[in-house]
Amino acid sequence: MLITPRSFGKYDDEPFRIMKVRGVKIVENETGSVLSERQMIDRVADVDGIIAGVDPLNEEVLKHAKNLRAIAKYGVGTDNIDLGYCKKHGIAVSITKNANRNAVADYTFALMLNVARRVTEINNGCKQGDWSKKVALDVFGKKLGVIGLGAIGRGVIHRAEGFDMQIYGYDVFHDDVFVEDNQVRFTDVETIFKECDFITLHVPLIPSTENLVNAEMLSKAKKNLVIVNAARGGIINDDDLYNALKNKQIFGAGLDVFQTKDPQHSKLLQLPNCIVGSHTAASSQGAVNSMSLRAVSNLMRDLNSSVEQEDNVAV
């Protein structure tokens, strides 16, 4: 079995103990970084199962994995996995649905507060000798638009209740009970951009959501808008967001993901009103433990082990 996520089992050795009891031979990612296509090809030849992070599992990699029967995604996003190839060749793909929902919802709200109150900017200024007052935005009682009302989006809404925020929501599915119980104004994306003070994104990266946030949509926004994306980078057009932030068309952004695969050279890093993360929203100890255990259970299940655990199956 190949395990690529660097944080897998880092805070609890139970996932490793489960596999040891079942006689699983483990191949770990010893590089300390995300594996390249070439590195994946070199490691997949003999494995029958993979616990995968964001490393490439495209057709070029998968065609070298002649014995592969199951992939357990360590997380929920499967855009790095060729699902069509897996389906065609009978490779089961599972995700660890909801394992990191609280961690990502926490981080999303932290980014939102950070940008609005200019926490990082003030911190950096003080450490450089600038102790001036910097006027920030209020959060309490403001309008929050949540695009994507899955587990993480709902978690953000529950946190916003403590700030007495007015909630606007959009999803391709309409859950009447949740919307009514949580007093969510269910509407479309354009209305959210026109009326909300804060917007958080919680949708998958699929053709209909790619570049969802673009120059046209940002042109409809309030000048004091704060937008947060801890979902997938391609949902926002980075160039359009850069222009909106640089020209003070909107107030600020919090990003844990980027459109480019090489974010260290992104122009967005130059802007004080853009707070960034290293795709780290799910990196809490509790989330790591939960994702590790679920990934192992999913993989053992799909490899016809006796471990049983219900979870979403991607293929």
Side-chain angles (χ1 to χ4, degrees), residues 107 109-132 134-137 251-255 268-278 280:
Y107 197 81
F109 218 84
L111 278 176
M112 190 173 78
L113 291 171
N114 190 324
V115 176
R117 296 310 311 266
R118 304 172 68 178
V119 175
T120 295
E121 186 181 352
I122 292 168
N123 170 75
N124 292 343
C126 290
K127 290 182 176 180
Q128 294 169 12
D130 177 9
W131 292 84
S132 62
K134 292 180 173 61
V135 179
L137 298 180
F251 184 85
L255 306 176
L268 289 162
L269 274 63
Q270 304 167 10
L271 302 175
N273 56 343
C274 184
I275 304 302
V276 303
S278 55
T280 194

Side-chain angles (χ1 to χ4, degrees), residues 84-283:
Y85 183 96
C86 291
K87 185 174 183 179
K88 181 178 178 181
H89 292 83
I91 301 169
V93 180
S94 61
I95 60 175
T96 55
K97 182 180 179 182
N98 296 338
N100 61 11
R101 60 181 174 180
N102 283 321
V104 178
D106 284 349
Y107 197 81
T108 297
F109 218 84
L111 278 176
M112 190 173 78
L113 291 171
N114 190 324
V115 176
R117 296 310 311 266
R118 304 172 68 178
V119 175
T120 295
E121 186 181 352
I122 292 168
N123 170 75
N124 292 343
C126 290
K127 290 182 176 180
Q128 294 169 12
D130 177 9
W131 292 84
S132 62
K133 305 295 186 225
K134 292 180 173 61
V135 179
L137 298 180
D138 294 302
V139 179
F140 190 87
K142 296 298 182 178
K143 295 177 180 178
L144 169 64
V146 180
I147 299 176
L149 301 178
I152 296 170
R154 294 182 183 204
V156 171
I157 288 172
H158 290 317
R159 286 153 179 78
E161 291 170 358
F163 285 78
D164 200 24
M165 301 184 84
Q166 303 172 56
I167 308 298
Y168 289 59
Y170 168 78
D171 198 284
V172 292
F173 302 104
H174 193 297
D175 185 335
D176 293 326
V177 175
F178 177 81
V179 167
E180 183 176 349
D181 288 350
N182 293 274
Q183 300 180 11
V184 176
R185 177 181 172 185
F186 194 89
T187 186
D188 56 82
V189 174
E190 184 173 331
T191 299
I192 286 174
F193 269 85
K194 286 180 177 178
E195 299 192 19
C196 289
D197 307 293
F198 298 88
I199 295 174
T200 65
L201 304 173
H202 309 286
V203 292
L205 180 59
I206 55 178
S208 62
T209 62
E210 188 171 8
N211 290 315
L212 176 69
V213 181
N214 51 36
E216 181 182 1
M217 197 63 72
L218 289 166
S219 70
K220 304 177 188 298
K222 293 182 177 181
K223 188 174 181 179
N224 277 345
L225 174 69
V226 170
I227 187 167
V228 174
N229 185 13
R232 285 292 183 268
I235 300 166
I236 296 180
N237 183 296
D238 284 1
D239 289 337
D240 291 348
L241 178 62
Y242 173 82
N243 291 330
L245 291 169
K246 184 176 177 60
N247 297 326
K248 305 296 175 63
Q249 183 181 336
I250 64 173
F251 184 85
L255 306 176
D256 193 42
V257 288
F258 295 81
Q259 189 173 39
T260 175
K261 293 183 178 180
D262 189 21
Q264 63 181 331
H265 299 301
S266 172
K267 294 184 296 183
L268 289 162
L269 274 63
Q270 304 167 10
L271 302 175
N273 56 343
C274 184
I275 304 302
V276 303
S278 55
H279 200 176
T280 194
S283 298

